């Protein structure tokens, strides 16, 4: 795997660990609520849903880390699968929730996927 591809795989894993932390543990914190534009009441009512989403983001991060550390062919297959999952989740999120997701999730994952495939 090329250095650029490896960096993007790890960057995507870190992004999803960060998202997991925010959604699972910091959802009701005022600064986080401000970045999502939610009220304290809404954050409190939806914290279980956010934690569930966070757990899924943690699984994406775990898969990307596995792909980064595993030797090929398994590592390659895991990188492709989990980056493709992130791309699809990002496209869905951008279409249904916020266009910002396109730039936070989809673009870095698509770039990583392209580099992983080119390096193979």
């Amino acid at each position: 795997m090329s250095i650029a591809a490896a960096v993007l795989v790890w960057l995507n894993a870190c992004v999803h660990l960060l998202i997991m932390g925010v959604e699972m543990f910091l959802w009701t914190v005022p600064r986080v609520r401000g970045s999502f534009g939610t009220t304290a009441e809404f954050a409190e009512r939806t914290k279980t849903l956010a934690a569930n989403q966070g757990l899924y983001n943690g699984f994406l991060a775990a898969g990307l880390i596995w792909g980064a550390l595993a030797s090929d062919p398994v590592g390659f297959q895991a990188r492709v699968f989990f980056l493709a999952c992130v791309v699809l989740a990002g496209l869905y999120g951008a279409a249904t929730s916020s266009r910002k997701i396109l730039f936070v999730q989809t673009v870095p994952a698509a770039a990583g996927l392209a580099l992983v495939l080119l390096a193979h």
Side-chain angles (χ1 to χ4, degrees):
M1 178 169 51
S2 75
I3 292 172
V7 167
L8 280 175
V9 169
W10 281 104
L11 174 70
N12 277 281
C14 289
V15 165
H16 285 279
L17 285 174
L18 177 65
I19 294 169
M20 179 194 76
V22 166
E23 291 176 342
M24 290 189 79
F25 308 111
L26 303 172
W27 188 249
T28 58
V29 172
R31 185 170 179 186
V32 171
R33 287 189 292 104
S35 68
F36 286 97
T38 59
T39 65
E41 180 185 72
F42 179 82
E44 191 60 39
R45 282 194 337 254
T46 60
K47 70 181 181 181
T48 302
L49 294 171
N52 189 297
Q53 287 179 187
L55 186 61
Y56 283 92
N57 279 290
F59 292 145
L60 289 173
L64 290 167
I65 292 167
W66 172 40
L69 296 176
S71 58
D72 289 340
V74 172
F76 172 73
Q77 293 164 345
R79 291 187 299 271
V80 169
F81 176 78
F82 283 98
L83 286 168
C85 287
V86 173
V87 168
L88 292 173
L91 289 171
Y92 184 81
T96 61
S97 180
S98 169
R99 295 192 124 215
K100 184 169 74 171
I101 293 170
L102 193 65
F103 302 103
V104 173
Q105 248 181 276
T106 312
V107 170
L113 181 57
L115 289 175
V116 164
L117 291 170
L118 286 172
H120 187 64

